[in-house]
Amino acid sequence: MPSLFSRFTQDSDPDPASPARAGHFDTAHGRVLTPAFMPVGTQGTVKGLTPRQLEEIGPQVILGNTYHLGLRPGDGLVRDLGGLHAFMGWDGPILTDSGGFQVFSLAGLRRIKEEGVTFQSHIDGSTHFLSPERSLDIQRNLGSDIVMALDECPPGRMERGPLELSMARTTRWLARCRAHPLGEHQGLFAINQGGTHLDLRRRHLDEILDLDARTPFQGLAVGGLSVGEPKEAMNEVLAAFVRLLPADRPRYLMGVGTPEDLLFGMEQGVDLFDCVLPTREARHGSLLTSRGRIKIKNARHRDSREPLDPHCNCYTCRTFTRAYLHHLFRVGELLALTLNSIHNLSYTVGLTRAARQAMLGKNFPEFARRTRENWNQEES
Amino acid sequence: MPSLFSRFTQDSDPDPASPARAGHFDTAHGRVLTPAFMPVGTQGTVKGLTPRQLEEIGPQVILGNTYHLGLRPGDGLVRDLGGLHAFMGWDGPILTDSGGFQVFSLAGLRRIKEEGVTFQSHIDGSTHFLSPERSLDIQRNLGSDIVMALDECPPGRMERGPLELSMARTTRWLARCRAHPLGEHQGLFAINQGGTHLDLRRRHLDEILDLDARTPFQGLAVGGLSVGEPKEAMNEVLAAFVRLLPADRPRYLMGVGTPEDLLFGMEQGVDLFDCVLPTREARHGSLLTSRGRIKIKNARHRDSREPLDPHCNCYTCRTFTRAYLHHLFRVGELLALTLNSIHNLSYTVGLTRAARQAMLGKNFPEFARRTRENWNQEES
């Protein structure tokens, strides 16, 4: 591997008025420029896109899913075939989640103990076991660049009492993750929990930093948000909490990806984001543009010669009219899903890329203001 | 338009031992090198492929469908948007069928009269009318390079008596097509019918050539084969009939596309083929290789590091292992459909391209022998 995981370096001048920051860190599969939105490739593919189409979109990192890939095709097989990068034909940085989020979502099909979680596959009902060590073994087999520690993922409205017990377990699991070997090119990210309670977030961060003082984590993630809690409560805790995370490590806000949430997160100093939203909405014909969301099925696009977004330089916008995209979606053609996904990811990755440029040019507040103003101009 | 439709020119040396021939003709959207397999883009897209992916595969011509596009989005709209080439982002030659095959397949939903066919849309049951003139108007609005005359499409096992009546109507319709105006860049192809009866085929050809003597057709097609009749009967009539078609016009065998049928057709002197088979089989995980058909879902591909076809230079074969394609197909990922379609079309288009090279190099018989020998080597 060409290089080990580097610390985060801030590229933009520190601004006392704003925690927003542009920066970078290095992985064995290349430098990651932040802020960055990371497309989700759950089963070893970003749905509907070839790696070549993905390269043109230009994400800094893409995600793979430990739960799904561990079950099918199996992490041992992926390892034997040269790792996830070779398997899926993507040579850039890959982050794998821990599998926890999926396993904890299997209500009724899973049993949580201190050792780990016993769960039944959503595919065939077969019984499996996920522990901090097993999650890391899978991720080591997959060979991702960024490995996520296994945390307990509490629902968005969990009461304070059970949440504290859950956080304590996450901390114990994090210690076990830290003690478990990884590939030498791999960096481990810790996940902070605490719901929308700032005091719990701070307490949990202290516990993480105790572990960090012995062996540093390569990054810190904010988990357990965007999981059903009120948007205002999420924003409130982010506004107060993100700036408390160590400045020399990338900060990753998990599961967040609407344009509004990306802007808000970047304003708080978040460096990395992921979300299935851009590709999922694309498949449902909901397209993100500089002027707001467009439902491409809407009859007003039927005879439109306009590109989806005149300010977008993606393959879809350079090549096709809204009328054509409307037609493809309406008649149920496969190509609609691909072209829509290319655009929505280009928009979302492009938003973080443009934000980075604005931060480097010291005009991010103006960029954010203008982006918000233009958003929701479209009638849909 | 840069050039009008040209006559067919043979590029290979005439061979008394074989009617197989390499040649070319020119359209306003470029030269067509033959023999050529033409991928089907029914609804204004070759299913699952971007025009860019299609360009890399390199078909000489692609098909659009008059029935489908006339209903959705409507040929008037396509015309207003600059024609089918601009609409779908494909700048190469396009052939449009007449819509007859689809309309005649709507058993129970259509009524045939001398004037034309009244039918009900498969989409919403609305009533429409297709006549020779209407079919050509749709195709003129679509702006295709090759326009197909509207014929009556009899089923593969129609009795001789009704077949003769049907052929007579096709001839009368052909005369109406010939009299109807087209765009000046468009060429009209006549369609020969007659089932598997050589004498009927010859008689119908004579009728076509009577019309042709007044105003020449730009090409002649063999229709009404590969529609349920026994394979031997089809091959028998092709072997005797194709060589009777005028040598200075492209010869198009409609609806034929298995590797075996392409080889046989080329041996008889066919220049153009089309079929949904390569893309349809791709979507079902049945992949065409130089060693035969592969069912990619088969467990023996699960851990295979091999490309699908080591002799294939397509994006899929250059980039991915069978194990990855097996995984994508098994978990139902969209990308499976795209990668499989890229390969199957590359194989099929490549087969006709390689055959052309072999004809130019005077070793087509050897090429055909070797291709057949290698076919069916795979266990599947």
Side-chain angles (χ1 to χ4, degrees):
Chain A
M1 296 293 168
S3 70
L4 293 183
F5 222 94
S6 79
R7 286 279 168 120
F8 176 89
T9 304
Q10 186 161 335
D11 297 329
S12 54
D13 294 336
D15 176 358
S18 160
R21 60 188 205 164
H24 71 268
F25 60 98
D26 290 306
T27 75
H29 288 89
R31 177 161 291 190
V32 177
L33 304 177
T34 66
F37 175 81
M38 308 182 289
V40 179
T42 307
Q43 303 194 104
T45 153
V46 174
K47 287 193 189 308
L49 302 191
T50 65
R52 208 153 60 170
Q53 288 168 328
L54 202 53
E55 273 157 33
E56 184 172 331
I57 295 166
Q60 299 293 305
V61 184
I62 65 168
L63 259 70
N65 191 288
T66 287
Y67 169 81
H68 284 99
L69 292 168
L71 290 176
R72 291 193 304 193
D75 49 294
L77 179 64
V78 174
R79 177 201 58 211
D80 293 347
L81 291 165
L84 185 55
H85 292 87
F87 186 59
M88 68 184 290
W90 173 257
D91 201 38
I94 295 179
L95 179 152
T96 40
D97 66 4
S98 68
F101 185 79
Q102 283 72 31
V103 166
F104 283 95
S105 305
L106 295 168
L109 296 172
R110 43 111 177 131
R111 234 180 33 205
I112 309 167
K113 294 196 171 178
E114 184 63 23
E115 176 57 20
V117 190
T118 304
F119 67 95
Q120 272 158 1
S121 156
H122 72 288
I123 305 159
D124 59 6
S126 58
T127 300
H128 300 263
F129 180 68
L130 191 70
S131 65
E133 293 79 10
R134 172 72 186 129
S135 170
L136 263 62
D137 284 344
I138 296 175
Q139 296 182 72
R140 191 175 50 193
N141 282 339
L142 297 176
S144 54
D145 301 281
I146 303 175
V147 167
M148 298 305 297
L150 183 68
D151 59 339
E152 191 171 310
C153 306
R157 292 163 192 271
M158 186 180 263
E159 295 291 323
R160 193 178 166 93
L163 187 56
E164 291 188 65
L165 293 175
S166 163
M167 285 163 53
R169 174 171 287 155
T170 289
T171 301
R172 293 191 299 274
W173 281 5
L174 183 60
R176 284 164 58 187
C177 283
R178 183 70 291 183
H180 200 71
L182 280 175
E184 71 162 2
H185 75 287
Q186 297 185 301
L188 181 65
F189 279 32
I191 302 174
N192 173 272
Q193 291 286 354
T196 53
H197 308 280
L198 180 59
D199 63 322
L200 295 188
R201 289 267 169 203
R202 295 182 70 146
R203 191 207 298 170
H204 193 225
L205 177 59
D206 286 341
E207 294 170 7
I208 292 171
L209 293 180
D210 280 346
L211 290 167
D212 184 74
R214 277 172 276 165
T215 316
F217 297 104
Q218 275 72 42
L220 279 91
V222 178
L225 291 178
S226 201
V227 289
E229 77 286 358
K231 173 67 68 74
E232 301 69 34
M234 167 173 121
N235 285 354
E236 203 176 311
V237 77
L238 283 176
F241 182 69
V242 174
R243 64 189 73 198
L244 305 180
L245 294 167
D248 63 347
R249 249 68 63 80
R251 301 155 171 177
Y252 166 26
L253 177 54
M254 303 178 80
V256 160
T258 68
E260 300 94 328
D261 288 351
L262 291 175
L263 276 180
F264 187 83
M266 290 189 286
E267 286 172 333
Q268 313 317 316
V270 172
D271 306 306
L272 298 169
F273 304 86
D274 83 286
C275 194
V276 295
L277 176 131
T279 39
R280 180 175 294 163
E281 289 210 7
R283 296 196 300 279
H284 292 120
S286 176
L287 301 175
L288 309 166
T289 79
S290 54
R291 294 166 62 82
R293 262 191 197 76
I294 285 179
K295 303 284 181 201
I296 196 63
K297 204 174 178 176
N298 192 308
R300 78 184 179 90
H301 306 301
R302 185 176 177 276
D303 57 1
S304 169
R305 298 162 184 271
E306 300 298 314
L308 202 48
D309 186 344
H311 299 296
C312 178
N313 193 37
C314 81
Y315 175 66
T316 302
C317 289
R318 286 198 320 269
T319 315
F320 306 101
T321 58
R322 290 186 180 190
Y324 184 65
L325 299 173
H326 170 85
H327 165 68
L328 289 182
F329 190 78
R330 203 154 154 263
V331 301
E333 279 288 348
L334 279 175
L335 187 57
L337 311 180
T338 297
L339 295 182
N340 291 353
S341 296
I342 286 175
H343 172 76
N344 269 7
L345 283 182
S346 294
Y347 175 82
T348 311
V349 167
L351 180 63
T352 53
R353 190 192 292 126
R356 174 182 160 85
Q357 288 310 313
M359 290 173 196
L360 294 175
K362 297 189 212 290
N363 58 353
F364 177 64
E366 169 60 13
F367 169 87
R369 192 192 60 70
R370 217 175 46 241
T371 303
R372 285 197 176 93
E373 198 174 274
N374 290 333
W375 185 255
N376 290 327
Q377 295 277 307
E378 279 275 346
E379 301 156 43
S380 176
Chain B
M1 295 295 171
S3 69
L4 292 183
F5 222 94
S6 80
R7 286 277 169 120
F8 177 88
T9 303
Q10 186 160 334
D11 297 330
S12 54
D13 295 337
D15 177 357
S18 161
R21 61 188 204 163
H24 70 269
F25 60 99
D26 290 305
T27 75
H29 289 90
R31 177 161 291 190
V32 177
L33 304 178
T34 65
F37 175 82
M38 308 183 288
V40 179
T42 307
Q43 303 194 103
T45 154
V46 175
K47 289 195 189 305
L49 302 192
T50 65
R52 209 153 61 170
Q53 288 167 331
L54 203 53
E55 274 158 32
E56 184 172 331
I57 294 166
Q60 299 293 305
V61 183
I62 65 168
L63 259 71
N65 190 287
T66 287
Y67 169 81
H68 284 99
L69 292 168
L71 290 176
R72 291 192 304 192
D75 49 295
L77 179 64
V78 174
R79 176 201 59 212
D80 293 348
L81 291 165
L84 185 55
H85 291 88
F87 186 59
M88 69 184 291
W90 172 257
D91 201 38
I94 296 179
L95 180 152
T96 41
D97 67 4
S98 68
F101 184 79
Q102 283 73 31
V103 165
F104 283 95
S105 306
L106 295 169
L109 295 172
R110 44 107 176 137
R111 234 182 32 207
I112 309 167
K113 295 196 171 178
E114 183 62 22
E115 175 59 18
V117 190
T118 304
F119 66 95
Q120 272 159 0
S121 156
H122 72 287
I123 304 158
D124 58 7
S126 58
T127 301
H128 300 261
F129 180 68
L130 190 70
S131 65
E133 294 79 10
R134 173 71 187 128
S135 171
L136 262 63
D137 284 344
I138 296 175
Q139 296 182 72
R140 191 175 49 193
N141 281 339
L142 296 175
S144 54
D145 301 282
I146 302 175
V147 168
M148 298 306 297
L150 183 68
D151 59 338
E152 191 171 310
C153 305
R157 290 163 193 271
M158 187 181 261
E159 294 293 322
R160 194 178 165 93
L163 187 56
E164 292 187 66
L165 294 176
S166 163
M167 285 163 53
R169 175 171 285 157
T170 289
T171 302
R172 293 192 300 276
W173 282 4
L174 183 60
R176 284 164 58 187
C177 283
R178 183 70 291 183
H180 200 71
L182 280 175
E184 73 162 1
H185 76 286
Q186 296 185 300
L188 181 66
F189 278 32
I191 302 174
N192 174 270
Q193 291 287 352
T196 53
H197 309 280
L198 181 59
D199 64 323
L200 296 188
R201 289 266 169 204
R202 295 182 70 146
R203 191 205 301 170
H204 193 226
L205 177 59
D206 285 341
E207 294 171 5
I208 293 172
L209 293 179
D210 280 345
L211 289 168
D212 185 74
R214 277 172 275 165
T215 317
F217 297 104
Q218 274 73 40
L220 278 90
V222 178
L225 291 177
S226 200
V227 289
E229 77 285 0
K231 172 69 66 74
E232 301 68 35
M234 167 173 121
N235 285 354
E236 203 174 310
V237 77
L238 283 177
F241 182 70
V242 173
R243 63 187 74 198
L244 305 180
L245 294 167
D248 62 347
R249 250 66 63 79
R251 303 157 170 176
Y252 166 26
L253 177 54
M254 303 179 80
V256 160
T258 68
E260 301 93 328
D261 288 350
L262 291 175
L263 277 179
F264 187 82
M266 291 189 287
E267 286 172 333
Q268 311 318 316
V270 172
D271 306 307
L272 298 170
F273 304 86
D274 83 287
C275 194
V276 296
L277 176 131
T279 40
R280 181 174 292 163
E281 288 210 8
R283 295 196 301 278
H284 293 122
S286 176
L287 300 174
L288 308 166
T289 79
S290 54
R291 295 167 60 83
R293 263 192 197 74
I294 285 179
K295 302 283 181 202
I296 196 63
K297 204 174 177 176
N298 192 310
R300 77 184 178 91
H301 306 301
R302 185 177 177 277
D303 58 1
S304 169
R305 298 163 184 270
E306 299 299 313
L308 201 48
D309 186 345
H311 299 295
C312 178
N313 193 37
C314 81
Y315 175 66
T316 302
C317 289
R318 287 198 319 270
T319 315
F320 305 102
T321 58
R322 290 186 180 191
Y324 184 65
L325 298 174
H326 171 86
H327 165 67
L328 289 182
F329 190 79
R330 203 154 156 264
V331 301
E333 279 286 348
L334 280 174
L335 186 58
L337 311 180
T338 297
L339 295 182
N340 292 352
S341 296
I342 286 175
H343 172 77
N344 270 7
L345 283 182
S346 294
Y347 175 83
T348 310
V349 167
L351 180 63
T352 53
R353 191 192 292 126
R356 174 181 161 85
Q357 288 310 313
M359 290 174 196
L360 295 175
K362 299 187 211 289
N363 58 355
F364 178 62
E366 169 61 13
F367 170 86
R369 193 193 59 71
R370 218 176 44 240
T371 304
R372 284 196 176 93
E373 196 174 276
N374 290 333
W375 185 255
N376 291 327
Q377 295 278 308
E378 278 275 346
E379 300 155 43
S380 176

